[in-house]
Amino acid sequence: MVNKVFATAAEAVADVPDGASLAVGGFGLVGIPSALIDALLAQGATDLETVSNNCGTDGFGLGLLLEQHRIRRTISSYVGANKEFARQYLSGELEVELTPQGTLAERMRAGGAGIPAFYTPAGVGTQVAEGGLPIRYDGQGGIAVASKPKETREFDGEAYVLERAIRTDFALVHAWKGDRLGNLVYRETARNFNPDAAGAGHITIAQVEYLVEPGEIDPAEVHTPGIFVQRVVEVGRQETGIENRTVRA
C-alpha cells in the first residue's frame, strides 16, 4: 500500500528549490500550514513565488518568509495587516499580483481541474481587466512593472474577463485529519483556500493534526482526495491565534 507519510515537516519540504512557486492554503490566521512554513524557513529556499489569499502577518505564516526576504513575488487578494509586506512592496523589493478573492480561488481550483482559463465578471471595468495595476514599484514612488490588459468577451450581453488558471511547483496545506493515502478533511473555516491550493500544486504537502489509517475516514467526508496529495506529515493540534485583539479600555 502506498504510504505518503513523512516523519517530519523538515523532510517533507527538504527538496523545495530556490525559485519554486508555492500555493499556500489559509485565510488570515486560520488554516495556515505553519509547521511546513517554519520548516521551509529553516530549510533555506529563497526567491520564492507564493500564491495565497494573503502573505501572512507580521511574525506568522508566510510573514516569516517575507521578513527574511525569501519571497520574490506573490499572487494574493488581501495584503493588509502586514507592515513589512507594505514596506517591501512600496520600496520595489517585492512583486505583487493583486487578484479578486473569488477569482484567486477559482484560478487555483481550475488549475487542479485541468482547466487552463475561464471567464469571470469580477474585475470588468477596472484595472484588473484594463491593466495598470502596480506589480512592482521602482522605490521612488513610480511604477516599474504594471499589469497588462486582459482579454474580455461578451456573453449574453454581459462583459467578462479572461483569467488564467494557476498551477504551482508545490502546495502547502493544513488539514484537520488525513490518512496515509493523502485523503484530507478540513475543519470548519480552516477549509477556506486549502482545497483549492491542494489541487493547484504539482507536489502537494499536507500537514495534518491527526493521522489515521486508510478506511477510517468516511469517503463522503473527504474534502481533498488523496490523488491530489503527495506528502503527509502529522503535526498535532494547532492553535489559532487572534489577528486583531480588541478589548475594553
Side-chain angles (χ1 to χ4, degrees):
M1 181 178 292
V2 175
N3 184 359
K4 301 178 180 180
V5 177
F6 281 62
T8 66
E11 292 178 17
V13 303
D15 62 345
V16 176
D18 293 348
S21 58
L22 307 169
V24 183
F27 186 104
L29 304 184
V30 181
I32 304 297
S34 55
L36 294 174
I37 293 172
D38 290 346
L40 190 58
L41 183 70
Q43 185 254 41
T46 190
D47 199 33
L48 301 170
E49 178 177 355
T50 60
V51 181
S52 181
N53 172 65
N54 59 296
C55 202
T57 56
D58 293 302
F60 181 75
L62 288 174
L64 294 171
L65 289 171
L66 192 69
E67 290 171 6
Q68 298 298 317
H69 295 85
R70 304 268 284 279
I71 298 175
R72 176 188 62 83
R73 188 176 194 274
T74 186
I75 302 175
S76 299
S77 62
Y78 174 72
V79 295
N82 191 322
K83 295 179 181 178
E84 178 60 14
F85 183 101
R87 189 199 66 76
Q88 289 190 26
Y89 180 37
L90 296 175
S91 67
E93 300 172 27
L94 177 69
E95 290 190 2
V96 178
E97 181 181 336
L98 288 172
T99 303
Q101 194 164 88
T103 300
L104 178 62
E106 182 62 9
R107 289 180 70 187
M108 288 193 284
R109 191 205 68 82
I115 299 169
F118 58 92
Y119 285 98
T120 174
V124 170
T126 74
Q127 287 181 304
V128 170
E130 297 170 2
L133 280 173
I135 291 179
R136 182 166 57 83
Y137 284 99
D138 63 6
Q140 306 298 322
I143 299 173
V145 180
S147 64
K148 296 180 180 180
K150 297 176 182 177
E151 177 185 334
T152 58
R153 185 174 173 183
E154 189 174 291
F155 295 90
D156 301 320
E158 298 291 335
Y160 294 81
V161 58
L162 184 68
E163 293 282 0
R164 293 291 303 271
I166 292 175
R167 288 285 277 163
T168 57
D169 300 320
F170 292 84
L172 309 180
V173 300
H174 170 85
W176 173 55
K177 187 189 300 183
D179 65 22
R180 296 180 182 278
L181 301 180
N183 297 300
L184 304 178
V185 179
Y186 309 102
R187 187 170 185 268
E188 299 177 347
T189 56
R191 186 171 177 176
N192 52 62
F193 280 80
N194 278 295
D196 300 318
H202 283 95
I203 298 176
T204 293
I205 308 170
Q207 67 169 56
V208 301
E209 296 191 27
Y210 302 101
L211 180 65
V212 300
E213 295 300 323
E216 292 188 45
I217 300 175
D218 185 333
E221 296 179 353
V222 171
H223 295 137
T224 294
I227 194 167
F228 290 105
V229 179
Q230 285 69 47
R231 303 173 188 177
V232 178
V233 59
E234 186 177 23
V235 296
R237 175 147 185 199
Q238 302 291 291
E239 295 294 332
T240 298
I242 299 174
E243 189 166 356
N244 294 299
R245 186 183 296 275
T246 304
V247 297
R248 290 179 182 268

